[in-house]
Amino acid sequence: MTIVDLASILGLILCFVVMIFGILSGQESIAVLLNFYDPPSIFITFGGALCCVLIMAPDLKGYLENLKSFSLILKRIPSNEEETIRTIIELSNVARKEGLLALEEAANNIEDEFLKKGVLLIVDGTDPELVRSIMETELNCIEDRHSSKVGFWDNFAAMGPAWGMIGTLIGLINMLQKMDDPKSIGPNMAVALVTTFYGSVLANWICIPISTKLKANNAQEVRIKEVMVEGLLSIQAGENPRVIEEKLKSFLSPARRAAMQEEGGEEIG
């Protein structure tokens, strides 16, 4: 079941509310919002930024996939280091009491594909160094895929203000062509500046927050998988479950480590 990330959704909405409040503050009518609506400026800023990022993309399919990654920040990653540690301790107890081959049956109840793959490698008697190599290679591939999405939004964030400035320059050039009409200078200057506004909004309201959130999600997922790798290799080495638990707790902050200790873990042989 997909868990909605309320923090991201609430943050996006509140940023928009704050922006609208700033526009309307001290104004007599909401009609002032129309001053910030200019189709050509929208087209230049958003269209130009999207087209530039398309040039940077390896292919159209990758571009569309990266664009869809916006939806990833709206979902909360159901990851829990403590639960992962408990699962590994359970597996270590099974291996200690019944042998490594008994882990094959336990693997059927594991939902995480990365952890399940590691367990099956151990059951097959794969050399520990090869197990580490295979798991780390897959982990690196995961990070590369995540980096591609983060890079997309970083590039998008850079292109937004750039094309906003291009739109502003276009507007200023058109304004200077009509300097003989003083009444047109004010409105034309306002329209020229709107594109800079759009570029700043695109970068700071959407692109940079998405990039930062994706980086945080990546770090969280990588940390969980590093716990899995260390735990599985420890099981394969035949280490005591209590030693494994203490080793894996080093991935936790002192506060979380203490909380986990208070909660108590699974039976440790």
Side-chain angles (χ1 to χ4, degrees), residues 34-98:
L34 295 176
N35 294 337
F36 291 81
Y37 175 70
D38 184 60
S41 296
I42 294 174
F43 182 78
I44 291 173
T45 305
F46 286 82
L50 284 168
C51 290
C52 261
V53 177
L54 177 59
I55 296 172
M56 303 177 194
D59 52 55
L60 183 59
K61 181 180 179 181
Y63 172 80
L64 294 175
E65 287 179 353
N66 288 334
L67 193 59
K68 290 178 182 177
S69 64
F70 170 82
S71 63
L72 296 177
I73 71 161
L74 305 179
K75 305 172 186 176
R76 187 161 62 88
I77 299 177
S79 57
N80 186 309
E81 286 93 336
E82 291 87 346
E83 189 61 34
T84 300
I85 293 173
R86 292 190 182 97
T87 299
I88 291 173
I89 297 305
E90 288 178 8
L91 294 172
S92 68
N93 280 320
V94 171
R96 188 175 180 82
K97 295 174 182 177
E98 305 175 33

Side-chain angles (χ1 to χ4, degrees), residues 29-261:
S29 171
I30 62 172
V32 70
L33 290 174
L34 295 176
N35 294 337
F36 291 81
Y37 175 70
D38 184 60
S41 296
I42 294 174
F43 182 78
I44 291 173
T45 305
F46 286 82
L50 284 168
C51 290
C52 261
V53 177
L54 177 59
I55 296 172
M56 303 177 194
D59 52 55
L60 183 59
K61 181 180 179 181
Y63 172 80
L64 294 175
E65 287 179 353
N66 288 334
L67 193 59
K68 290 178 182 177
S69 64
F70 170 82
S71 63
L72 296 177
I73 71 161
L74 305 179
K75 305 172 186 176
R76 187 161 62 88
I77 299 177
S79 57
N80 186 309
E81 286 93 336
E82 291 87 346
E83 189 61 34
T84 300
I85 293 173
R86 292 190 182 97
T87 299
I88 291 173
I89 297 305
E90 288 178 8
L91 294 172
S92 68
N93 280 320
V94 171
R96 188 175 180 82
K97 295 174 182 177
E98 305 175 33
L100 290 176
L101 293 179
L103 293 177
E104 185 170 10
E105 183 177 349
N108 295 328
N109 299 321
I110 297 176
E111 295 183 1
D112 188 282
E113 291 299 323
F114 185 82
L115 180 58
K116 186 174 183 177
K117 179 178 182 178
V119 170
L120 293 177
L121 285 171
I122 291 176
V123 171
D124 290 339
T126 310
D127 182 78
E129 286 303 316
L130 184 55
V131 172
R132 179 183 289 277
S133 176
I134 292 172
M135 301 291 282
E136 289 183 347
T137 297
E138 183 164 343
L139 187 55
N140 289 335
C141 289
I142 291 173
E143 287 194 89
D144 286 342
R145 290 195 296 270
H146 291 176
S147 295
S148 173
K149 292 178 173 57
V150 170
F152 172 87
W153 291 103
D154 284 340
N155 291 333
F156 205 174
M159 291 302 102
W163 277 89
M165 181 57 66
I166 289 173
T168 295
L169 293 174
I170 292 172
L172 289 175
I173 291 170
N174 289 335
M175 181 193 73
L176 292 174
Q177 294 295 326
K178 299 180 180 180
M179 288 294 290
D180 56 337
D181 183 6
K183 292 183 179 180
S184 69
I185 295 177
N188 284 330
M189 174 65 80
V191 170
L193 292 177
V194 163
T195 54
T196 298
F197 170 77
Y198 286 149
S200 183
V201 168
L202 175 60
N204 296 287
W205 177 38
I206 299 176
C207 298
I208 293 177
I210 290 177
S211 171
T212 303
K213 190 60 174 277
L214 291 177
K215 289 175 184 175
N217 289 347
N218 172 70
Q220 184 180 27
E221 185 174 347
V222 167
R223 186 166 56 250
I224 292 273
K225 285 178 167 46
E226 287 176 345
V227 170
M228 294 176 183
V229 172
E230 289 302 322
L232 290 173
L233 291 173
S234 296
I235 292 174
Q236 189 176 27
E239 295 178 10
N240 187 289
R242 189 174 299 279
V243 174
I244 296 175
E245 181 183 31
E246 291 306 316
K247 179 190 292 187
L248 298 184
K249 279 183 178 179
S250 63
F251 285 90
L252 304 176
S253 65
R256 294 176 66 183
R257 201 178 307 166
M260 185 177 178
Q261 188 68 34

